Amino acid sequence: MRRGDGSRYDIPVPGYKANLSDVLATIALCQLDKLDRHTEIRRRQFAAYDEAVGDLDGVTPLARDDRDVHALHLYVVRIDAEAAGGTRDEYQRALAEENIATSIHFLPVHKLTFYRERFPDQPALPVAERAGDEVLSLPLSPAHSDDDIADAIAALRRVHERFTG
């Protein structure tokens, strides 16, 4: 994998499966003891983000189906440039200026170098491409305090106000 500007990435060659070493597997097993506590922290963070983005035009969390068990590992929003007053990339840059680190996940696979070169006749996939242009992952981790999430929300509100002002 090759990293580009910010959290953008590209895949110039196919990936490979790699198993954990015994030491890393042992560490992972110890982490399982923290699962319930970390899940509760992530639920609280999701709820704070859900409440905050509910009144921000053009900033919409990805839909979640109540029938599914969500890992709560990423809080992803879609930025509708027209309604939000700025593109996803503009929001990402503005949040970085506010010292809020964000990520871009789920780029359309068919746009990554390896797949583009291997399948040059791939037709456009407009739904995937639009989603790839709009998704932005906000900070989320058991390592983040409630104050950290509140800071990220306050910065998102300031950026939104600046773009939609």
Side-chain angles (χ1 to χ4, degrees):
M1 182 164 30
R2 183 172 57 208
R3 289 270 175 201
D5 178 38
S7 60
R8 287 194 180 272
Y9 58 89
D10 192 12
I11 299 176
V13 296
Y16 300 94
K17 181 179 184 284
N19 294 331
L20 292 176
S21 68
D22 289 346
V23 171
L24 291 176
T26 301
I27 292 169
L29 286 172
C30 291
Q31 291 291 84
L32 289 176
D33 292 338
K34 301 175 185 176
L35 184 62
D36 290 339
R37 184 168 45 94
H38 285 185
T39 299
E40 183 51 40
I41 292 168
R42 290 173 183 275
R43 276 195 186 103
R44 196 169 58 241
Q45 293 171 348
F46 258 67
Y49 277 131
D50 281 345
E51 183 178 333
V53 301
D55 61 349
L56 299 179
D57 290 337
V59 180
T60 309
L62 288 188
R64 296 185 299 272
D65 189 325
D66 290 336
R67 298 172 296 175
D68 294 333
V69 176
H70 195 291
L72 306 175
H73 70 295
L74 297 172
Y75 192 88
V76 181
V77 294
R78 289 181 78 154
I79 307 292
D80 176 338
E82 187 175 323
T87 66
R88 180 272 317 276
D89 292 345
E90 291 169 329
Y91 266 77
Q92 185 177 41
R93 281 190 295 275
L95 286 166
E97 290 169 6
E98 297 269 350
N99 294 316
I100 304 298
T102 60
S103 297
I104 299 170
H105 291 94
F106 312 122
L107 294 174
V109 171
H110 70 287
K111 302 293 271 184
L112 301 174
T113 299
F114 173 78
Y115 299 98
R116 241 185 15 255
E117 291 174 354
R118 187 170 177 128
F119 304 104
D121 298 328
Q122 169 66 49
L125 300 172
V127 174
E129 291 164 17
R130 185 174 142 234
D133 288 340
E134 293 179 351
V135 295
L136 184 65
S137 296
L138 300 176
L140 181 88
S141 161
H144 288 100
S145 69
D146 291 345
D147 288 342
D148 293 334
I149 299 303
D151 288 345
I153 289 169
L156 179 61
R157 288 182 182 282
R158 285 190 301 273
V159 167
H160 187 268
E161 177 61 29
R162 196 164 65 231
F163 283 128
T164 60

